[in-house]
């Protein structure tokens, strides 16, 4: 009988959890960046310059990238 090769995952279960958490944090950052525009091009909306879109959302995306990089580099 032939022995079938055992397929191993590239990462552990913990790495995949961190990866999914990081992707969720990145998605949250991009959701925070969205909106604030106006349907009428003649009307200016100051909401695009809120601190959430300028400071919080990009920081959230960078933290999410950090989490995903940690998940990739974490050893077993």
């Amino acid at each position: 009988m032939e022995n079938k090769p055992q397929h191993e995952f590239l990462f552990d279960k913990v790495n995949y959890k961190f990866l999914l958490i990081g992707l969720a944090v990145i998605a949250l950052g991009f959701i925070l960046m969205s909106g604030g525009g106006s349907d009428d091009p003649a009307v200016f909306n100051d909401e695009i310059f809120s601190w959430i879109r300028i400071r919080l959302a990009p920081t959230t995306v960078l933290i999410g990238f950090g989490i995903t990089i940690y998940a990739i580099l974490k050893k077993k």
Side-chain angles (χ1 to χ4, degrees):
M1 288 180 35
E2 288 184 29
N3 289 338
K4 293 184 180 180
Q6 295 290 333
H7 295 288
E8 292 185 21
F9 286 111
L10 188 59
F11 300 119
D12 284 342
K13 191 175 184 179
V14 175
N15 293 66
Y16 286 112
K17 285 182 183 179
F18 275 118
L19 190 64
L20 290 175
I21 290 170
L23 291 175
V25 171
I26 292 170
L28 175 67
F30 279 111
I31 289 170
L32 290 174
M33 273 191 237
S34 67
S38 176
D39 293 333
D40 185 11
V43 177
F44 180 75
N45 189 355
D46 283 337
E47 190 62 27
I48 62 171
F49 296 118
S50 71
W51 71 274
I52 293 174
R53 288 183 182 85
I54 299 296
R55 299 277 186 216
L56 182 66
T59 305
T60 306
V61 171
L62 290 175
I63 290 171
F65 281 134
I67 293 170
T68 55
I69 290 170
Y70 173 76
I72 292 170
L73 296 179
K74 184 177 180 315
K75 295 191 180 219
K76 293 183 177 184

